[in-house]
Amino acid sequence: MPVNDSPRPRILCISFSDIRADARVLRQLDVLARHGEVTTLSYGERPDAAHDHLQIDSALPSLPQTIPGVLKLGLRRYRSVALDAPAVRAGRALLAGREFDIVVANEARALPLASVVAGAPRIWCDLHEWAPAERSHVLSWRLLVAPFMDWVCRTYLPRIDASTTVNQSIATMYEERFGVRMDIVRNAIAYRPDLSPSPLAADRIRLVHSGGAVPGRNIEAIIDAVDLLGDAYSLDLFLIPSRQGDKYWQRLVDRIQASPRTTLHPPVAPDDLPDALNAYDLGVFILPPHTPNHRLMLPNKFFDFVQARLGIVFGPSVETDRLIRRHDLGAITADYSAADLARTLRGLSPDDVRRFKQNANGVAELLSSEADVAVQEGILTRLASA
């Protein structure tokens, strides 16, 4: 086995995503790199902050979706299937002969692999959402995968050294269901003191939405709303195509092209989003609560919009409602339809929009990643000294 000649801890970061497009993990990597020599294990190419990278074929699923794997899920043979997913098997092969001092498992699905990494590492699991209900609006997930994810959390979380999640609502669920204490690391981005609210245009309110082009995100309803509103409004979209297939993406592109008031832009790197969004007025998102994670969301885009000094118009959601109301950052729609979004936007005067943008400017430092980085730094310091 390799000997660690460096005084810096050997840190392995596991994420079944393309980290270069995963804003939360990219921010995490910046902190990890200050504390040790980081190897990433993920889909996609090496992120800039990683010293070394082990690339998993993006065609390999991170859950046991082969016929034998699905049969084992159906029979509740979870222990035999925990390391059976194609991407997990590939990751385990890539890790052969390597030892680490600290392993960061992003999402519960990475915990079984993290538990077999050589070197007796300390393990930190960053749970980006409520794992047992990640895709509970899909019947096959609800019947087969949700019980498996519940088993993973129940089996592995009590054994690990640190656990984090995105907000207090979800942290409470983990504590009540699995008896583990969670620290909070929000999806906030770094404070941008160089940005200030852009002036309103004379002829229209400029709406913007950024994020993944994933089925179920209700992006179509935002497009429909701007078409209902007329020429006094425009919509710009900064979208990342989903790995889930080209058919949905092509349907969405066709819908965008049919809208005279909607413009699609290429994806923007997470750190560059505040600059790209700053020219707009209102960040918009209306995600129906198909799952507990939707109902309790506190997504990257909320914090991106704040750093860009935009007003915010979101559909109802526990955590975002609280922050929008506390800081008077924008408006909350009554439901998730295009008609209600259009109704809400029509009810906002230019003075309202200016006030929201100024209020975002006033809380941009408070709602930045400073507090979250402090939590991560504390965890890494503790794990490195254990």
Side-chain angles (χ1 to χ4, degrees), residues 288-333:
H290 295 306
T291 74
N293 288 309
H294 296 163
R295 182 173 60 84
L296 301 174
M297 69 170 183
L298 188 53
N300 295 320
K301 59 178 61 61
F302 180 91
F303 298 100
D304 296 338
F305 293 158
V306 170
Q307 291 306 321
R309 298 346 190 239
L310 307 183
I312 293 173
V313 179
F314 271 34
S317 182
V318 174
E319 293 281 336
T320 54
D321 288 1
R322 177 175 56 82
L323 290 173
I324 290 169
R325 289 180 174 132
R326 176 182 296 174
H327 302 295
D328 189 25
L329 295 175
I332 302 163
T333 62

Side-chain angles (χ1 to χ4, degrees), residues 223-243:
I223 301 168
D224 292 343
V226 78
D227 286 343
L228 290 172
L229 285 164
D231 292 337
Y233 298 81
S234 63
L235 171 64
D236 287 68
L237 299 171
F238 293 82
L239 300 178
I240 301 169
S242 170
R243 289 179 61 245

Side-chain angles (χ1 to χ4, degrees), residues 22 28 70 78 84-85 108 118 195 243 339 376:
D22 191 326
Q28 180 190 97
V70 170
Y78 298 141
D84 218 24
L195 293 178
R243 289 179 61 245
Q376 295 172 311

Side-chain angles (χ1 to χ4, degrees), residues 29-30 76 102 138 180:
L29 278 180
D30 288 339
R76 304 295 195 258
I102 297 171
V138 178
V180 293

Side-chain angles (χ1 to χ4, degrees), residues 110-386:
L111 277 171
L113 179 58
S115 72
V116 297
V117 172
R122 279 78 69 193
I123 298 175
W124 162 21
C125 184
D126 186 36
L127 295 150
H128 301 190
E129 55 188 358
W130 175 241
E134 182 182 333
R135 290 177 56 78
S136 59
H137 56 296
V138 178
L139 180 62
S140 59
W141 173 283
R142 195 161 61 247
L143 295 177
L144 294 172
V145 182
F148 171 60
M149 298 307 295
D150 187 272
W151 177 85
V152 167
C153 291
R154 195 175 303 280
T155 302
Y156 292 95
L157 283 179
R159 305 177 185 174
I160 65 175
D161 302 284
S163 302
T164 51
T165 193
V166 296
N167 61 51
Q168 188 57 55
S169 294
I170 294 178
T172 298
M173 294 171 68
Y174 278 111
E175 291 165 6
E176 291 177 348
R177 175 81 70 89
F178 305 114
V180 293
R181 189 186 73 82
M182 311 293 294
D183 288 311
I184 307 301
V185 175
R186 304 167 303 176
N187 283 314
I189 60 173
Y191 177 48
R192 291 294 306 272
D194 55 314
L195 293 178
S196 59
S198 59
L200 268 63
D203 59 340
R204 69 191 190 282
I205 298 296
R206 299 159 298 184
L207 312 176
V208 69
H209 172 90
S210 60
V214 178
R217 291 284 179 91
N218 211 23
I219 298 168
E220 297 87 344
I222 304 174
I223 301 168
D224 292 343
V226 78
D227 286 343
L228 290 172
L229 285 164
D231 292 337
Y233 298 81
S234 63
L235 171 64
D236 287 68
L237 299 171
F238 293 82
L239 300 178
I240 301 169
S242 170
R243 289 179 61 245
Q244 297 176 13
D246 293 335
K247 289 184 179 179
Y248 172 74
W249 173 250
Q250 190 54 57
R251 288 199 305 272
L252 185 60
V253 169
D254 291 344
R255 177 66 192 87
I256 292 166
Q257 291 176 342
S259 169
R261 300 177 187 90
T262 302
T263 302
L264 176 63
H265 299 268
V268 173
D271 286 348
D272 297 332
L273 262 175
D275 292 292
L277 301 177
N278 180 249
Y280 302 98
D281 302 313
L282 295 172
V284 182
F285 189 37
I286 48 170
L287 180 67
H290 295 306
T291 74
N293 288 309
H294 296 163
R295 182 173 60 84
L296 301 174
M297 69 170 183
L298 188 53
N300 295 320
K301 59 178 61 61
F302 180 91
F303 298 100
D304 296 338
F305 293 158
V306 170
Q307 291 306 321
R309 298 346 190 239
L310 307 183
I312 293 173
V313 179
F314 271 34
S317 182
V318 174
E319 293 281 336
T320 54
D321 288 1
R322 177 175 56 82
L323 290 173
I324 290 169
R325 289 180 174 132
R326 176 182 296 174
H327 302 295
D328 189 25
L329 295 175
I332 302 163
T333 62
D335 61 34
Y336 309 92
S337 68
D340 195 73
L341 175 58
R343 188 180 308 114
T344 301
L345 289 166
R346 282 197 195 99
L348 300 178
S349 69
D351 285 343
D352 290 330
V353 177
R354 289 189 189 94
R355 185 178 79 253
F356 298 152
K357 296 177 74 168
Q358 288 297 332
N359 289 346
N361 191 52
V363 297
E365 186 170 9
L366 175 67
L367 296 181
S368 73
S369 62
E370 182 177 345
D372 307 294
V373 169
V375 171
Q376 295 172 311
E377 299 271 6
I379 289 171
L380 289 165
T381 299
R382 174 166 59 84
L383 297 185
S385 62

Side-chain angles (χ1 to χ4, degrees), residues 1-22:
M1 291 291 181
V3 175
N4 182 17
D5 296 323
S6 169
R8 286 165 57 80
R10 299 162 299 181
I11 302 174
L12 173 66
C13 175
I14 304 173
S15 182
F16 292 110
S17 67
D18 182 344
I19 294 177
R20 295 172 308 156
D22 191 326

Side-chain angles (χ1 to χ4, degrees), residues 97-116:
R98 293 172 178 255
E99 292 185 351
F100 293 91
D101 304 301
I102 297 171
V103 175
V104 183
N106 281 282
E107 305 278 26
R109 68 182 64 194
L111 277 171
L113 179 58
S115 72
V116 297

